[in-house]
Amino acid sequence: YISNGRHCGLVTHTGGGASFLDDPHRMRLLRYKFHLTPYDRPGRYAYIRDQQTGHYWSATWSPVVTTPLVKMKFECRVGMGYNRITTEYNGVRAEMLYFVPPDDDIEIWRLTLTNISKQPRKLRTFSYAEWAVWGVVRDLHNIDNAATCARYAYDDGVFWHTTPNDVGATIVTATWVHPIGYFTSDAKPVGYDGSRDHFLGAYRDESRPIVVETGKPTNLCANGLYPLGSLAHDWNLKPGQSKTVAFQLAAGWKKPPLVRLIARYRVPANVDKAFAKLADSWTDRLATLQATTPDNKSNTVVHTWAPSQVCSFASKARAVSPV
């Protein structure tokens, strides 16, 4: 779980999971398909495409699960309030860090690519953030209007999700509210995709999107489609060189505060400061109780695992549920 008590998310070991703001039933940000196959879809993904060969894979292994694990070095480190997933494949090291800053209602995905081969690499990445249509029951039940009611726009590197949300129980008791969500990055994209179905292609799924396969973004974003946050970025890496891009996912009720968030977290130093503050907050929290026993595993339970679980159970993050 990544959470500051308001913006909350469930992140699996391969980048899957949902996000919500305050209320998981009425303010779901990311869609997640509970109990369905294939498991653990969708999620917070970054596809990596070799522009010279056309071969592509995922920074978090999933959803391009055809990548053989015997040929990929994979690690997921579940830390205090963050997940860090690292893969090494095809001469590229990819590190994806997911966390929520303590002070701001925003989710950060920081992707770092390193060329660990001896040749220059030309890569193109595609993010994948599949929006829910806020109310999770409506999103699950109303297959006829979840997409047609969607209001979605792209402006200068930012996707704006402004679909109205019905928080009533029936048509008679419907109460419409107007939340605002956005998805962006701190690097200028070379293209974008705002439609899930156009990004994936007919009769395809997250494991083989047509846009990633061809390497050509559609630059399509319009109302009445299943909204998606996919930004394409080009990476030209010399041997040993690393580059980083930080994605932002957030929601609120008024646009000006969100615009300020975008500007704040497009500064890499502010992302670093937010992650450092998250680490410090957990250091202070865990220092409340320290114990030493002859069993190092028991020490780990007392010092980290048990307090972490207690905080998760007490947090709104534990309220992630399909209904």
Side-chain angles (χ1 to χ4, degrees):
Y1 295 97
I2 55 175
S3 171
N4 63 2
R6 299 176 303 276
H7 185 115
C8 308
L10 167 68
V11 187
T12 73
H13 67 296
T14 58
S19 298
F20 66 91
L21 178 66
D22 288 324
D23 185 343
H25 295 178
R26 296 179 177 179
M27 280 294 287
R28 188 72 60 93
L29 276 64
L30 294 183
R31 180 177 285 117
Y32 191 61
K33 301 169 186 174
F34 292 88
H35 310 306
L36 301 182
T37 56
Y39 293 118
D40 197 23
R41 300 279 183 89
R44 306 160 174 83
Y45 301 137
Y47 298 90
I48 304 170
R49 186 180 192 272
D50 188 321
Q51 292 290 81
Q52 295 168 306
T53 66
H55 183 59
Y56 63 89
W57 63 100
S58 306
T60 55
W61 181 69
S62 182
V64 186
V65 293
T66 54
T67 307
L69 281 173
V70 293
K71 296 183 179 180
M72 173 183 279
K73 182 178 179 181
F74 174 91
E75 177 186 85
C76 175
R77 183 174 295 273
V78 181
M80 298 294 101
Y82 70 89
N83 267 27
R84 179 184 283 116
I85 301 173
T86 306
T87 58
E88 291 184 8
Y89 178 72
N90 195 26
V92 177
R93 178 185 297 120
E95 179 188 283
M96 183 70 93
L97 174 68
Y98 303 105
F99 73 98
V100 174
D103 296 334
D104 290 311
D105 299 338
I106 182 175
E107 190 173 305
I108 302 294
W109 316 353
R110 190 175 69 185
L111 173 65
T112 301
L113 297 187
T114 304
N115 180 3
I116 57 175
S117 73
K118 297 181 180 180
Q119 303 296 327
R121 305 299 297 274
K122 293 184 177 181
L123 308 172
R124 176 168 289 180
T125 58
F126 301 83
S127 64
Y128 189 97
E130 184 178 335
W131 289 94
V133 190
W134 306 122
V136 67
V137 174
R138 175 168 169 252
D139 194 66
L140 289 171
H141 290 181
N142 294 346
I143 192 172
D144 57 335
N145 73 6
T148 56
C149 290
R151 296 295 175 264
Y152 203 47
Y154 178 85
D155 181 28
D156 193 24
V158 184
F159 290 103
W160 291 101
H161 178 26
T162 57
T163 307
N165 183 18
D166 171 16
V167 297
T170 68
I171 294 177
V172 177
T173 62
T175 301
W176 292 92
V177 295
H178 297 82
I180 304 173
Y182 77 83
F183 183 81
T184 190
S185 73
D186 62 358
K188 185 176 179 60
V190 296
Y192 62 90
D193 289 274
S195 166
R196 180 196 67 180
D197 292 353
H198 288 81
F199 180 83
L200 296 179
Y203 298 100
R204 288 171 174 252
D205 61 21
E206 301 94 340
S207 68
R208 53 190 192 102
I210 188 65
V211 164
V212 180
E213 189 171 295
T214 62
K216 298 178 181 179
T218 64
N219 294 336
L220 171 65
C221 185
N223 296 333
L225 303 171
Y226 285 102
L228 178 73
S230 181
L231 298 170
H233 295 94
D234 281 347
W235 308 63
N236 295 314
L237 298 175
K238 300 176 182 179
Q241 186 180 13
S242 297
K243 291 185 179 180
T244 298
V245 61
F247 299 99
Q248 306 178 26
L249 173 73
W253 298 100
K254 294 182 179 180
K255 192 171 182 178
L258 297 179
V259 172
R260 290 192 289 271
L261 270 185
I262 291 172
R264 183 179 309 153
Y265 286 98
R266 278 183 170 171
V267 179
N270 289 339
V271 175
D272 294 338
K273 290 177 182 178
F275 186 64
K277 187 167 185 177
L278 174 67
D280 290 342
S281 69
W282 275 98
T283 297
D284 293 342
R285 179 178 292 168
L286 298 176
T288 303
L289 173 63
Q290 293 289 300
T292 302
T293 75
D295 185 354
N296 287 332
K297 293 181 179 179
S298 296
N299 294 340
T300 299
V301 169
V302 172
H303 294 160
T304 57
W305 188 86
S308 172
Q309 294 300 304
V310 169
C311 291
S312 295
F313 273 97
S315 168
K316 290 181 180 179
R318 287 291 301 183
V320 177
S321 172
V323 294

